């Protein structure tokens, strides 16, 4: 059958219109960029349609080195900001503090989370980590008051879980994976704080009737389902606009199991509000009960509890794991920190009171944590009005949320990165992804010295003042609400362990100084953290 002569003509006209539209748009953006004095950034090694770059990143993910791979690209390109093609999307990636400050704070309204809500919705729903705009503002206003209360860091509650942790540490000086124990500790303490009842990961006799009745069966089943769901969320995030392709049965089942547990606690809290005769034992503060006083929407309660549970478990466990990874490899740092802690708090035989204020008053504890690891906002600078707790060096080297991104909601610009010297503004077209690597920025030698990749807490004695080049808890309006909770829990755990044990040894058969990273939504040590922890006197002080 012959085509009508008009068909090729219509096709040619459509093609011509699309080409003309493309050229008009290019001219429009060119003029806008010139008016803003913008210069293009140096291009990165994307390849044809970004396919080779995507393949190399996928290979690095399989090899569990993609965080390091992304950091290496800044040296490969020779710029702290460069552009890339990521399949069908254009991306800018940066480790310039000025650019990150613009994205997170001073130009906050110009950027959004992009498709993160769709990517994370199956597990986290409508929560503080997934929403933009009015939805995010509402979620933050709902949660923020709960993190200003003294009860947020309940040291007495935490100590109960520390006692269980101590019982799981081998008494025969044998090696063990302390990261596994830290993830049990933080899941128990986080669920206790949030729900008023621990899931009992560290004490099987405490496994709740709730879990026994649910599909997860026990605390380990709940932890496994939660971790599996997060692994798939990370894969959906890396897939960007193709996130919907990552939706296997295992992912859906893990989400269902996690939701079943949290829904039970939500329904219990709602019933308690409607029947207020039964008060919590001792009148202790329970996060979920406080939230129920603000809203009775079951889905809103579940979604926000899951968002906080994710941050409360994973980031603190990541920080503690990295702290002991580095301390086990640097005995002088362990010895100095333990000496300062015992001088202030005593040891397990002669303990003295541990308070929030005293935790903040041990400088070397701050230096150690800062040198090790961080996690993931009113347009305001980072709040440095309060003395930090002990996380600087660990949070610097192994931030729990090492890489993040935003998407431009309008045509805008970034302050630096363009032109021959990389100091001119960059034009950012609506829809462009702006990725930033806190991990790589924390290792820049121009900020941190030639030993930037080395664990050396003393650098914070030499220069403890840093701005946007140190960003373990994000910044601007979305700065982490729970950072004081996380730092208090980490600090208290370090103190209590050092009171009981005077010797920490690295038990990793591979004496690596840089851990293999397993990063889903937060970063952890892929091979765990193998150590020996004991009292050199021959018997434990506990």
């Amino acid at each position: 059958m012959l085509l009508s002569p008009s068909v090729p003509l219509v096709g040619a006209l459509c093609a011509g219109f699309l080409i003309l539209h493309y050229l008009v748009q290019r001219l429009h953006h060119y003029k806008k960029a010139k008016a803003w004095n913008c210069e293009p950034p140096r291009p990165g090694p994307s390849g044809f349609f970004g396919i080779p770059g995507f393949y190399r990143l996928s290979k690095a993910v399989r090899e569990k080195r993609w965080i390091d791979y992304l950091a290496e690209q800044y040296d490969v390109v020779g710029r702290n900001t460069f552009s890339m093609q990521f399949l069908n999307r254009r991306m800018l990636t940066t480790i310039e503090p000025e650019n990150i400050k613009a994205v997170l704070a001073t130009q906050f309204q110009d950027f959004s989370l992009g498709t993160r809500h769709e990517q994370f919705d199956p597990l986290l729903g409508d929560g503080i980590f997934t929403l933009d705009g009015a939805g995010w503002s509402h979620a933050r206003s709902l949660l923020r008051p709960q993190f200003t209360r003294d009860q947020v860091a309940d040291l007495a509650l935490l100590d109960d879980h520390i006692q269980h942790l101590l019982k799981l540490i081998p008494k025969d000086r044998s090696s063990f994976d302390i990261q596994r124990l830290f993830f049990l500790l933080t899941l128990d303490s986080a669920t206790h704080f949030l729900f008023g009842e621990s899931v009992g990961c560290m004490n099987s006799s405490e496994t709740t009737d709730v879990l026994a009745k649910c599909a997860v069966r026990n605390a380990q089943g709940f932890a496994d389902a939660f971790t599996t769901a997060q692994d798939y969320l990370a894969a959906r995030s890396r897939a960007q606009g193709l996130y919907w392709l990552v939706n296997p049965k295992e992912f859906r089942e893990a989400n269902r199991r996690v939701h079943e547990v949290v829904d039970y606690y939500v329904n219990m809290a709602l019933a308690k509000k409607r029947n207020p005769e039964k008060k919590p034992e001792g009148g202790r503060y329970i996060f979920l009960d406080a939230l129920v006083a603000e809203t009775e929407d079951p889905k809103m309660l579940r979604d926000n509890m899951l968002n906080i549970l994710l941050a409360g478990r994973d980031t603190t466990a990541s920080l503690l794991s990295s702290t002991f990874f580095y301390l086990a490899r640097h005995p002088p740092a362990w010895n100095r920190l333990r000496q300062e802690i015992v001088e202030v708090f005593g040891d397990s035989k002669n303990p003295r009171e541990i308070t929030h204020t005293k935790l903040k008053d041990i400088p070397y504890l701050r230096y150690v944590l800062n040198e090790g690891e961080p996690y993931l906002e009113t347009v305001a600078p980072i709040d440095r009005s309060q003395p930090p707790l002990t996380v600087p060096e660990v949070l610097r080297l192994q931030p729990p949320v090492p890489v993040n991104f935003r998407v431009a909601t309008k045509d805008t610009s970034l302050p630096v990165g363009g032109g021959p010297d990389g100091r001119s503004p960059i034009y950012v077209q609506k829809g462009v992804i702006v990725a930033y690597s806190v991990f790589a920025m924390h290792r820049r030698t121009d900020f941190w010295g030639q030993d930037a990749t080395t664990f050396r807490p003393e650098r914070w004695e030499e220069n403890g003042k840093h701005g946007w080049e140190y960003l373990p808890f994000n910044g601007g309006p979305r700065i982490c609400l729970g950072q004081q909770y996380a730092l208090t829990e980490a600090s208290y755990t370090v103190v209590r362990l050092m009171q009981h044990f005077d010797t920490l040894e690295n038990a990793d058969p591979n004496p690596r100084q840089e851990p293999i990273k397993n990063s889903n939504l937060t970063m952890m040590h892929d091979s765990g953290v193998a150590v020996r922890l004991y009292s050199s006197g021959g018997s434990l002080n506990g």
Side-chain angles (χ1 to χ4, degrees), residues 461-472:
E461 289 180 308
E462 301 158 2
N463 180 16
K465 294 182 178 180
H466 292 282
W468 284 83
E469 69 273 16
Y470 179 64
L471 210 65

Side-chain angles (χ1 to χ4, degrees), residues 28-30 32-33 36 38-39 41 90 92 411-414 425-430:
H28 167 74
H29 292 302
Y30 173 80
K32 189 178 285 188
W36 293 348
C38 294
E39 296 284 347
R90 183 164 174 261
L92 288 169
D411 295 338
T412 185
S413 65
L414 293 178
I426 299 175
Y427 182 69
V428 182
Q429 190 174 328
K430 179 180 178 180

Side-chain angles (χ1 to χ4, degrees), residues 89 112-120 240-241 243 405 407:
R89 297 291 297 275
S112 73
L113 301 179
T115 56
R116 184 192 289 183
H117 180 264
E118 291 82 357
Q119 293 162 359
F120 291 3
Q240 289 294 314
Y243 67 87
F405 70 90
V407 178

Side-chain angles (χ1 to χ4, degrees), residues 280-295:
E281 185 178 347
R284 191 178 57 77
Y285 173 81
I286 298 172
F287 192 101
L288 179 54
D289 289 350
L291 216 56
V292 166
E294 302 298 326
T295 178

Side-chain angles (χ1 to χ4, degrees), residues 267-284:
N267 291 331
M268 189 166 61
L270 288 170
K272 190 191 304 181
K273 181 181 180 180
R274 293 158 190 158
N275 182 23
E277 296 171 1
K278 185 179 180 182
K279 299 292 183 183
E281 185 178 347
R284 191 178 57 77

